[in-house]
Amino acid sequence: MTEAFRAPVLTAVTPYGPDGASSRVRVYDWMRWLGVTANVYDYLGAANASPGTLLRNAAKVRQAEGHVRKLASRRIPRLLLHREASPLSRGGLERRLMTAAELAVYDFDDALQWDDGGGLHRRVAPKPPKCHAAVRSADRVIAGNDTLADWATGLCPDVVVIPSCVDPAKYQRKTSYSLADPPLLIWVGSPSTERYLRLISTPLLDFHRRSGARLRLVSGADASLGPLDVMIDRVQWRRDRVGGLLAGADIAIAPLADGPYERGKCAYKIIEYAATGLPVIGSPVGANELALKRFGGYGPSVHDDWSDALDSLVSMSANARRKMGEAARRAVEEHYSFSSWSIAWTDAVGLGDFRARGPDQMGIEDRLF
């Protein structure tokens, strides 16, 4: 292997480490799948940038701020900025980073431009101005879905849509489609999105009373969800255990509110469900709607429809559920896999010339700060 192949070909800036869902999906997984050699600035390397995380790591925060500001003073051949450079910035840092790069690419998979939530530090350093500044300063924008792309097109002339992708081969395939006794539902997500389960409390509890069904909730939180607690079995999220947990469930659910922010989400939850071969029920909001159609899943929009969907899946034969799950997995391979989108992604971040060398010749060199 030559020194040219060992040298980093991409600089990536992202607010979280590999355990942060968005950074893992949109940055780390791509680089590892392709074997891209990169310098990665992931702020604290933590799974989140909550006020508690920042306060517990005050010394590291100062160091991270210094590193990313130093980076903004350099001329970078290829820069990929995902979401934000710093949870403490107000957009100026993101603008300086983008204008310093020869090719500046901004990637986002949430409607950050409409995200006015968060605690006190988000009122001081809100997400929307950072997203606006990065998109306006970018040479190219990678949007996770059409909703985000439509908005970004008004600020940047070069916008491409690349959905959040998975490697289906990494997911444990569901093999048995006979129902557990009682039926086992599953939801996988972050603590901040558990609130969406409350939207379907009534149909879930009715289903629990009719069938005894349990809900396996895989997350990093342990907060109460009120009346739903009676049917919930909590499991701490860990990358190495999610595949087995999904494959052992009967039905995967993905409720979502129908608001501007939610319409910008990228359907990653149901993509993971489908990659395992699970029958899926999800709210037909934003990118979820198209994904559910491709997966042959159910897209209920009101409580009665959620109840009907749950009853329908448990009443159908195991073979029918198997066909549904296998068709969903094939749709993931066709529409949401790394192999389907690798040419588009490498071209978008300016690595088309390196693609012909292949992952086996490019190596991996993640430098975390």
Side-chain angles (χ1 to χ4, degrees):
M1 185 182 297
T2 68
E3 287 300 318
F5 288 169
R6 290 196 185 99
V9 298
L10 181 68
T11 296
V13 177
T14 184
Y16 317 123
D19 285 336
S22 181
S23 296
R24 182 181 70 252
V25 172
R26 303 294 296 188
V27 178
Y28 286 99
D29 284 354
W30 266 115
M31 293 190 301
R32 287 171 178 155
W33 193 81
L34 289 167
V36 171
T37 304
N39 280 338
V40 182
Y41 291 74
D42 62 3
Y43 207 67
L44 300 180
N48 62 69
S50 68
T53 299
L54 299 179
L55 288 172
R56 286 192 299 271
N57 296 277
K60 290 184 178 180
V61 167
R62 288 193 295 272
Q63 185 179 40
E65 289 289 323
H67 280 139
V68 75
R69 279 166 170 73
K70 185 177 180 179
L71 180 64
S73 68
R74 302 175 187 169
R75 190 64 174 167
I76 306 164
R78 299 176 187 84
L79 173 69
L80 174 65
L81 171 60
H82 171 64
R83 293 179 71 95
E84 63 183 1
S86 164
L88 304 179
S89 71
R90 295 178 59 85
L93 178 57
E94 286 74 13
R95 185 182 299 107
R96 292 199 303 275
L97 273 170
M98 303 303 274
T99 55
E102 294 176 21
L103 174 66
V105 181
Y106 179 67
D107 173 88
F108 69 139
D109 60 340
D110 273 324
L112 305 177
Q113 71 275 23
W114 301 318
D115 185 0
D116 55 3
L120 176 61
H121 85 290
R122 285 303 181 187
R123 290 196 287 274
V124 175
K127 294 179 185 178
K130 284 185 271 197
C131 183
H132 278 79
V135 172
R136 287 182 183 278
S137 305
D139 297 307
R140 179 174 299 129
V141 171
I142 302 176
N145 57 51
D146 290 337
T147 298
L148 301 179
D150 289 345
W151 172 80
T153 300
L155 301 175
C156 179
D158 188 352
V159 179
V160 297
V161 176
I162 298 179
S164 294
C165 295
V166 299
D167 178 4
K170 296 294 186 182
Y171 285 79
Q172 183 175 334
R173 297 186 69 154
K174 185 170 178 61
T175 56
S176 173
Y177 287 83
S178 297
L179 288 176
D181 186 13
L184 179 58
L185 312 179
I186 192 166
W187 179 93
V188 179
S190 64
S192 64
T193 57
E194 286 187 13
R195 67 184 186 276
Y196 296 126
L197 287 166
R198 294 179 180 271
L199 299 175
I200 57 168
S201 291
T202 298
L204 285 178
L205 289 170
D206 287 347
F207 185 60
H208 169 67
R209 284 189 285 269
R210 293 194 304 273
S211 66
R214 305 297 299 174
L215 172 59
R216 177 180 287 166
L217 194 157
V218 186
S219 174
D222 57 6
S224 171
L225 285 177
L228 283 174
D229 289 347
V230 71
M231 65 179 297
I232 286 176
D233 300 313
R234 280 191 174 273
V235 181
Q236 279 292 114
W237 181 91
R238 246 185 26 217
R239 272 186 290 172
D240 61 352
R241 67 165 52 158
V242 171
L245 293 171
L246 287 171
D250 294 316
I251 300 167
I253 61 172
L256 197 60
D258 188 5
Y261 178 74
E262 287 78 12
R263 292 177 206 132
K265 287 188 169 293
C266 289
Y268 189 75
K269 190 188 308 296
I270 61 175
I271 293 169
E272 283 203 298
Y273 295 161
T276 305
L278 268 169
V280 180
I281 308 174
S283 300
V285 175
N288 274 11
E289 184 173 14
L290 177 58
L292 287 165
K293 289 178 181 178
R294 288 170 167 169
F295 300 155
Y298 288 81
S301 55
V302 296
H303 281 182
D304 287 348
D305 290 343
W306 272 93
S307 294
D308 290 345
L310 289 164
D311 288 341
S312 176
L313 281 173
V314 297
S315 64
M316 68 174 55
S317 68
N319 191 49
R321 284 191 297 273
R322 178 185 300 277
K323 289 181 178 179
M324 184 178 180
E326 290 176 347
R329 184 180 169 92
R330 288 193 297 271
V332 171
E333 293 169 347
E334 180 179 356
H335 298 289
Y336 300 99
S337 66
F338 290 124
S339 59
S340 295
W341 287 94
S342 60
I343 292 175
W345 193 86
T346 51
D347 284 345
V349 298
L351 296 180
D353 291 344
F354 292 83
R355 188 170 58 240
R357 300 177 183 179
D360 59 329
Q361 298 183 50
M362 293 174 65
I364 301 175
E365 185 180 316
D366 291 340
R367 297 174 182 167
L368 308 181
F369 296 87

